[in-house]
PDB file of all heavy atoms in Angstrom:
ATOM      1  N   GLU W  35     102.635  98.057  24.315  1.00 98.00           N
ATOM      2  CA  GLU W  35     102.134  98.414  25.629  1.00 98.00           C
ATOM      3  C   GLU W  35     102.698  99.700  26.250  1.00 98.00           C
ATOM      4  O   GLU W  35     102.039 100.489  26.914  1.00 98.00           O
ATOM      5  CB  GLU W  35     102.162  97.257  26.586  1.00 98.00           C
ATOM      6  CG  GLU W  35     101.601  95.958  26.141  1.00 98.00           C
ATOM      7  CD  GLU W  35     100.082  95.990  26.070  1.00 98.00           C
ATOM      8  OE1 GLU W  35      99.465  96.999  26.560  1.00 98.00           O
ATOM      9  OE2 GLU W  35      99.506  95.047  25.547  1.00 98.00           O
ATOM     10  N   ALA W  38     101.049 102.491  24.492  1.00 98.00           N
ATOM     11  CA  ALA W  38      99.702 102.572  24.898  1.00 98.00           C
ATOM     12  C   ALA W  38      99.630 103.367  26.223  1.00 98.00           C
ATOM     13  O   ALA W  38      98.825 104.317  26.473  1.00 98.00           O
ATOM     14  CB  ALA W  38      99.066 101.256  25.002  1.00 98.00           C
ATOM     15  N   TYR W  42      97.803 107.220  26.726  1.00 98.00           N
ATOM     16  CA  TYR W  42      96.569 107.552  27.543  1.00 98.00           C
ATOM     17  C   TYR W  42      96.907 108.370  28.765  1.00 98.00           C
ATOM     18  O   TYR W  42      96.170 109.305  29.075  1.00 98.00           O
ATOM     19  CB  TYR W  42      95.902 106.234  27.979  1.00 98.00           C
ATOM     20  CG  TYR W  42      95.594 105.285  26.811  1.00 98.00           C
ATOM     21  CD1 TYR W  42      95.732 103.895  26.964  1.00 98.00           C
ATOM     22  CD2 TYR W  42      95.373 105.759  25.508  1.00 98.00           C
ATOM     23  CE1 TYR W  42      95.566 103.033  25.902  1.00 98.00           C
ATOM     24  CE2 TYR W  42      95.146 104.945  24.420  1.00 98.00           C
ATOM     25  CZ  TYR W  42      95.279 103.574  24.604  1.00 98.00           C
ATOM     26  OH  TYR W  42      95.148 102.749  23.593  1.00 98.00           O
ATOM     27  N   ILE W  60      92.695 102.833  32.109  1.00 98.00           N
ATOM     28  CA  ILE W  60      93.238 101.993  30.949  1.00 98.00           C
ATOM     29  C   ILE W  60      94.730 102.157  30.814  1.00 98.00           C
ATOM     30  O   ILE W  60      95.495 101.122  30.631  1.00 98.00           O
ATOM     31  CB  ILE W  60      92.548 102.295  29.608  1.00 98.00           C
ATOM     32  CG1 ILE W  60      91.057 101.860  29.686  1.00 98.00           C
ATOM     33  CG2 ILE W  60      93.137 101.559  28.442  1.00 98.00           C
ATOM     34  CD1 ILE W  60      90.293 102.087  28.480  1.00 98.00           C
ATOM     35  N   GLU W  64      97.528  99.236  31.083  1.00 98.00           N
ATOM     36  CA  GLU W  64      98.594  98.981  30.009  1.00 98.00           C
ATOM     37  C   GLU W  64     100.010  98.762  30.682  1.00 98.00           C
ATOM     38  O   GLU W  64     100.795  97.956  30.169  1.00 98.00           O
ATOM     39  CB  GLU W  64      98.689 100.172  29.071  1.00 98.00           C
ATOM     40  CG  GLU W  64      97.339 100.515  28.361  1.00 98.00           C
ATOM     41  CD  GLU W  64      96.779  99.448  27.356  1.00 98.00           C
ATOM     42  OE1 GLU W  64      97.383  98.344  27.327  1.00 98.00           O
ATOM     43  OE2 GLU W  64      95.873  99.743  26.684  1.00 98.00           O
ATOM     44  N   HIS W  67     100.203  95.267  31.497  1.00 98.00           N
ATOM     45  CA  HIS W  67     100.447  94.489  30.295  1.00 98.00           C
ATOM     46  C   HIS W  67     101.904  94.510  29.913  1.00 98.00           C
ATOM     47  O   HIS W  67     102.469  93.588  29.453  1.00 98.00           O
ATOM     48  CB  HIS W  67      99.604  94.931  29.170  1.00 98.00           C
ATOM     49  CG  HIS W  67      98.052  94.763  29.480  1.00 98.00           C
ATOM     50  ND1 HIS W  67      97.096  95.331  28.710  1.00 98.00           N
ATOM     51  CD2 HIS W  67      97.443  94.123  30.478  1.00 98.00           C
ATOM     52  CE1 HIS W  67      95.872  94.983  29.153  1.00 98.00           C
ATOM     53  NE2 HIS W  67      96.107  94.312  30.264  1.00 98.00           N
ATOM     54  N   GLU W 135      94.148 100.594  19.875  1.00 98.00           N
ATOM     55  CA  GLU W 135      93.687  99.332  20.442  1.00 98.00           C
ATOM     56  C   GLU W 135      93.482  98.285  19.261  1.00 98.00           C
ATOM     57  O   GLU W 135      93.850  97.113  19.498  1.00 98.00           O
ATOM     58  CB  GLU W 135      92.363  99.589  21.219  1.00 98.00           C
ATOM     59  CG  GLU W 135      92.577 100.395  22.417  1.00 98.00           C
ATOM     60  CD  GLU W 135      93.412  99.781  23.508  1.00 98.00           C
ATOM     61  OE1 GLU W 135      93.562  98.516  23.460  1.00 98.00           O
ATOM     62  OE2 GLU W 135      93.936 100.465  24.425  1.00 98.00           O
ATOM     63  N   ARG W 164      91.984  92.020  25.995  1.00 98.00           N
ATOM     64  CA  ARG W 164      91.910  93.267  26.619  1.00 98.00           C
ATOM     65  C   ARG W 164      91.785  94.442  25.733  1.00 98.00           C
ATOM     66  O   ARG W 164      91.239  95.440  26.020  1.00 98.00           O
ATOM     67  CB  ARG W 164      93.142  93.476  27.612  1.00 98.00           C
ATOM     68  CG  ARG W 164      93.253  92.421  28.647  1.00 98.00           C
ATOM     69  CD  ARG W 164      91.993  92.293  29.503  1.00 98.00           C
ATOM     70  NE  ARG W 164      91.585  93.482  30.218  1.00 98.00           N
ATOM     71  CZ  ARG W 164      90.320  93.799  30.453  1.00 98.00           C
ATOM     72  NH1 ARG W 164      89.312  93.010  30.119  1.00 98.00           N
ATOM     73  NH2 ARG W 164      89.996  94.947  31.107  1.00 98.00           N
ATOM     74  N   GLU W 165      92.511  94.313  24.569  1.00 98.00           N
ATOM     75  CA  GLU W 165      92.359  95.367  23.629  1.00 98.00           C
ATOM     76  C   GLU W 165      90.983  95.574  23.063  1.00 98.00           C
ATOM     77  O   GLU W 165      90.525  96.705  22.789  1.00 98.00           O
ATOM     78  CB  GLU W 165      93.359  95.084  22.355  1.00 98.00           C
ATOM     79  CG  GLU W 165      94.791  94.650  22.719  1.00 98.00           C
ATOM     80  CD  GLU W 165      95.574  95.637  23.582  1.00 98.00           C
ATOM     81  OE1 GLU W 165      95.039  96.669  23.978  1.00 98.00           O
ATOM     82  OE2 GLU W 165      96.781  95.408  23.790  1.00 98.00           O
ATOM     83  N   HIS W 168      89.235  97.502  25.775  1.00 98.00           N
ATOM     84  CA  HIS W 168      89.635  98.921  25.781  1.00 98.00           C
ATOM     85  C   HIS W 168      89.012  99.699  24.627  1.00 98.00           C
ATOM     86  O   HIS W 168      88.592 100.858  24.764  1.00 98.00           O
ATOM     87  CB  HIS W 168      91.175  98.968  25.686  1.00 98.00           C
ATOM     88  CG  HIS W 168      91.915  98.529  26.898  1.00 98.00           C
ATOM     89  ND1 HIS W 168      93.298  98.329  26.926  1.00 98.00           N
ATOM     90  CD2 HIS W 168      91.427  98.063  28.057  1.00 98.00           C
ATOM     91  CE1 HIS W 168      93.530  97.805  28.125  1.00 98.00           C
ATOM     92  NE2 HIS W 168      92.434  97.682  28.843  1.00 98.00           N
TER      93      HIS W 168
HETATM   94 FE1  LIG V 201      95.034  98.332  25.422  1.00 66.90          FE
END
Side-chain angles (χ1 to χ4, degrees):
Chain W
E35 302 292 354
Y42 310 144
I60 295 183
E64 304 292 10
H67 297 169
E135 294 295 338
R164 296 312 296 149
E165 311 301 6
H168 293 169

